[in-house]
């Protein structure tokens, strides 16, 4: 894989981690007073949709090649998003 494609994938993965953090915060605020079964179902569906979106983006960028360091970048983006939202 070319270095340009890897850098784009790194950047997309960090942005995707920030998006996951934002979506989790929104879901948590919206689902405070709902039943446990509906919370589990909505979290499961949201997670499924986010995974499918990420796989689609990877197929668009680099023909679906997934490396473990992309997962590390998603986790890094999640914590970066948490750090920025805590300051606000």
């Amino acid at each position: 894989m070319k270095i340009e494609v890897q850098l784009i994938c790194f950047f997309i993965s960090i942005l995707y981690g920030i998006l996951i953090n934002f979506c989790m915060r929104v879901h948590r605020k919206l689902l405070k007073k709902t039943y446990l079964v509906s919370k589990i179902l909505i979290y499961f569906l949201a997670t499924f949709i986010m995974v499918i979106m990420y796989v689609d983006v990877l197929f668009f960028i680099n023909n679906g090649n997934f490396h473990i360091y992309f997962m590390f970048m998603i986790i890094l983006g999640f914590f970066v998003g948490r750090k920025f939202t805590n300051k606000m």
Side-chain angles (χ1 to χ4, degrees):
M1 188 179 338
K2 293 181 181 179
I3 191 71
E4 295 88 12
V5 174
Q6 284 185 349
L7 290 175
I8 291 170
C9 289
F10 282 158
F11 183 69
I12 295 295
S13 296
I14 289 175
L15 287 179
Y16 202 74
I18 293 170
L19 176 72
I20 289 173
N21 183 19
F22 176 74
C23 289
M24 283 184 60
R25 287 182 180 268
V26 169
H27 281 123
R28 205 173 291 140
K29 287 182 182 179
L30 290 177
L31 299 175
K32 276 186 180 178
K33 297 181 182 181
T34 59
Y35 296 109
L36 180 64
V37 175
S38 63
K39 283 182 186 180
I40 292 171
L41 183 64
I42 290 172
Y43 276 123
F44 177 74
L45 289 174
T47 304
F48 182 72
I49 290 170
M50 290 175 146
V51 168
I52 295 297
M53 275 182 13
Y54 185 69
V55 170
D56 284 344
V57 168
L58 280 183
F59 268 110
F60 180 72
I61 294 173
N62 65 1
N63 296 326
N65 292 331
F66 181 78
H67 299 282
I68 192 69
Y69 47 84
F70 293 160
M71 185 62 73
F72 293 134
M73 298 308 282
I74 290 173
I75 294 169
L76 177 71
F78 180 81
F79 287 117
V80 166
R82 179 182 282 180
K83 192 72 166 175
F84 283 138
T85 54
N86 285 340
K87 286 185 179 180
M88 294 179 165

